[in-house]
Amino acid sequence: MTERPAGDEGVSPTKHRALLSEIITLIVVLSAGIYAGVSAGDGSAGDSPAGGRGGHNSADPASAGTWVGAWSAAPVGGEPGTEPTGMAGRSVRNVVHTSAAGTSARITLSNLYGQSPLTITHASIALAAGHGSSAATPGTMRRLTCGGATSVTVPAGQQVLSDAVRLQVPQGADVLVTTYAPAESGPVTYHPYARQTSYLADGDRAEDPTATPYTRRTSVWRYLTALDVLSHDATGTVVAFGDSITDGSTSTQSANRRWPDAFSRRLHSAVAAGQRDVPRYSVVNEGISGNQILTSQAGRPAENQNGLTRFARDVLGRPNVKVVVVDLGVNDTLHDAGSDAILTGLRALVRQAHAHGVKVVGATLMPFGGYPRYSAAREAVRQRVNAGIRSGTVYDTVVDFDKALRDPYAPRRYAAEYDSGDHLHPSDRGYRKMAATIDLTDLKGAVPARL
């Protein structure tokens, strides 16, 4: 969708905006329906995973607490080269980093982009023995079940939530989640730009605590889309929702230097220091590189689903979500969407959040001067979008990433110390600056009755 040039004939601007709003409303309704159709539960405690046998699981937690997101990664597409075999005959050991501590854990496995049922016959969770290690800390290996069964079949286009298992999960820990699928089931649902090294092994090595069989390194996450913990410390979840800047493109590999990582550490430190008016929330990352508000990529289901379509799954589907930080719109700008269309889409995201009692912190779009696709016309769109965001008519509260990271003497560009070098993504220092820019007190407070 693009802005209509001045003097263009046809539908009036007022009718055009009304039609755009109706289309976006339809997208929101359809996306909610799609989410309801593919999800095996809303992520709340007590859900029975699809394919499970139901009944009580002896691994269920006995103590009270709050389920929060400790880690997440949005499903992006079907992994090229995995048709039709998938990961048949191999153990996939995903390495993920936690933003909250808990006494029990559960995971979500996705077969959203599979064309046939995915049967996982063996899955486990353990704490990593050290940073960058595929070995488990002694005594922490736990077998995972779904509905009390060690095997689960995930239908194509769906996801499952595992049973909870007792495990002391520290905040800021590396966790190993391993799955084994014996049969062909491709393509594999994956998250391609993990910025984290994970591991593969031949055969069923799901409960092997050693690193010996895990000889192959990989830079993507497969099947696993969420890790939740039953926490006595955190009372809610913050979701970072965005594109490659949120996904952490150009951040240091396996170092957890994306801005949501830095923000999680900052929030945890503030709570530990006794800072007043700071909520005890975990932070999870639902960024997708190349993501847009309005446009998805091709495929059935569509790959790299647009923000309006995936919001219900990737934000509202997380447990006890209190706040979402939205940083979307740069890719729409680079693909020549108009400022009115972008702002209308962002307001539609806010309406979805408010309907579920979730507060929205929204970010201004950061500069991309010097990037090969920069143009004066696209810069003008960015400026109009940022003016709309700063006006207070889009989000509940605003974090001005643009102002914080731009060069004060050349505001169409990043300041040199915050530029990764490609003039579109921040450096590690830039990601830290983003995390430092968010006002922690903005996380508190109720959703306004009207925006």
Side-chain angles (χ1 to χ4, degrees):
M1 300 178 190
T2 58
E3 293 181 301
R4 184 178 298 277
D8 195 12
E9 295 181 355
V11 181
S12 68
T14 299
K15 291 183 178 179
H16 179 75
R17 286 192 293 272
L19 178 61
L20 176 64
S21 180
E22 290 176 3
I23 292 172
I24 287 178
T25 299
L26 178 61
I27 292 174
V28 171
V29 172
L30 289 174
S31 67
I34 292 169
Y35 171 73
V38 303
S39 176
D42 65 2
S44 60
D47 288 338
S48 178
R53 298 181 303 189
H56 178 71
N57 173 19
S58 62
D60 283 344
S63 58
T66 302
W67 282 105
V68 298
W71 170 90
S72 67
V76 176
E79 183 179 3
T82 61
E83 315 89 347
T85 59
M87 289 287 112
R90 283 178 283 181
S91 295
V92 177
R93 180 156 286 180
N94 292 293
V95 180
V96 303
H97 193 71
T98 63
S99 69
T103 57
S104 296
R106 65 189 186 190
I107 65 168
T108 299
L109 298 173
S110 176
N111 191 28
L112 177 60
Y113 293 98
Q115 299 301 313
S116 58
L118 165 67
T119 298
I120 300 290
T121 59
H122 200 177
S124 69
I125 185 170
L127 302 184
H131 180 70
S133 175
S134 60
T137 298
T140 66
M141 182 66 70
R142 303 286 187 274
R143 181 176 298 177
L144 290 168
T145 61
C146 286
T150 57
S151 178
V152 62
T153 297
V154 190
Q158 296 192 21
Q159 63 181 20
V160 295
L161 179 69
S162 78
D163 300 324
V165 63
R166 293 188 186 97
L167 179 65
Q168 291 288 339
V169 179
Q171 186 273 339
D174 282 351
V175 173
L176 311 177
V177 177
T178 310
T179 59
Y180 175 73
E184 296 183 355
S185 61
V188 172
T189 297
Y190 82 134
H191 187 97
Y193 299 108
R195 309 303 300 164
Q196 171 66 55
T197 299
S198 291
Y199 301 88
L200 297 173
D202 291 331
D204 184 357
R205 301 287 187 168
E207 287 189 67
D208 191 326
T210 73
T212 304
Y214 288 92
T215 57
R216 181 178 170 188
R217 296 180 174 226
T218 179
S219 60
V220 307
W221 287 309
R222 297 178 173 93
Y223 302 132
L224 181 69
T225 59
L227 167 64
D228 305 330
V229 295
L230 186 66
S231 181
H232 296 280
D233 300 320
T235 60
T237 304
V238 176
V239 179
F241 187 73
D243 49 34
S244 57
I245 292 174
T246 298
D247 206 11
S249 293
T250 68
S251 65
T252 300
Q253 177 79 8
S254 298
N256 302 301
R257 294 182 182 176
R258 313 164 192 86
W259 78 255
D261 298 320
F263 182 60
S264 175
R265 290 189 290 270
R266 179 181 168 223
L267 184 57
H268 180 75
S269 295
V271 170
Q275 187 172 331
R276 299 183 62 183
D277 296 324
V278 176
R280 295 181 294 122
Y281 293 160
S282 65
V283 180
V284 297
N285 189 335
E286 293 286 359
I288 295 179
S289 293
N291 200 227
Q292 300 180 54
I293 304 161
L294 304 171
T295 305
S296 302
Q297 292 181 5
R300 291 188 179 183
E303 300 204 349
N304 202 328
Q305 294 176 350
N306 68 65
L308 288 170
T309 300
R310 72 185 185 92
F311 194 84
R313 180 194 68 218
D314 293 343
V315 177
L316 305 178
R318 297 296 87 234
N320 286 302
V321 177
K322 305 297 185 183
V323 182
V324 56
V325 183
V326 177
D327 185 16
L328 269 177
V330 167
N331 288 312
D332 297 82
T333 302
L334 292 173
H335 286 84
D336 296 322
S339 56
D340 285 349
I342 293 171
L343 290 168
T344 299
L346 291 175
R347 291 186 178 103
L349 292 180
V350 174
R351 287 196 296 272
Q352 288 192 63
H354 283 183
H356 290 79
V358 176
K359 188 174 184 179
V360 187
V361 177
T364 52
L365 308 187
M366 289 191 288
F368 50 85
Y371 185 64
R373 296 179 63 187
Y374 173 87
S375 71
R378 289 167 179 157
E379 173 64 17
V381 170
R382 185 182 76 91
Q383 293 291 352
R384 288 195 293 272
V385 170
N386 281 350
I389 291 172
R390 291 187 180 109
S391 72
T393 62
V394 180
Y395 298 117
D396 299 327
T397 187
V398 174
V399 54
D400 203 337
F401 287 159
D402 171 40
K403 183 178 179 181
L405 274 73
R406 70 192 181 197
D407 186 334
Y409 302 104
R412 294 177 180 84
R413 295 173 173 264
Y414 281 113
E417 63 267 32
Y418 301 140
D419 192 341
S420 68
D422 69 3
H423 311 304
L424 180 64
H425 302 97
S427 60
D428 285 358
R429 184 174 177 182
Y431 286 128
R432 290 197 302 273
K433 180 65 173 180
M434 292 172 67
T437 302
I438 301 171
D439 188 339
L440 298 182
T441 62
D442 283 345
L443 303 181
K444 297 194 70 176
V447 171
R450 294 185 64 184
L451 184 63

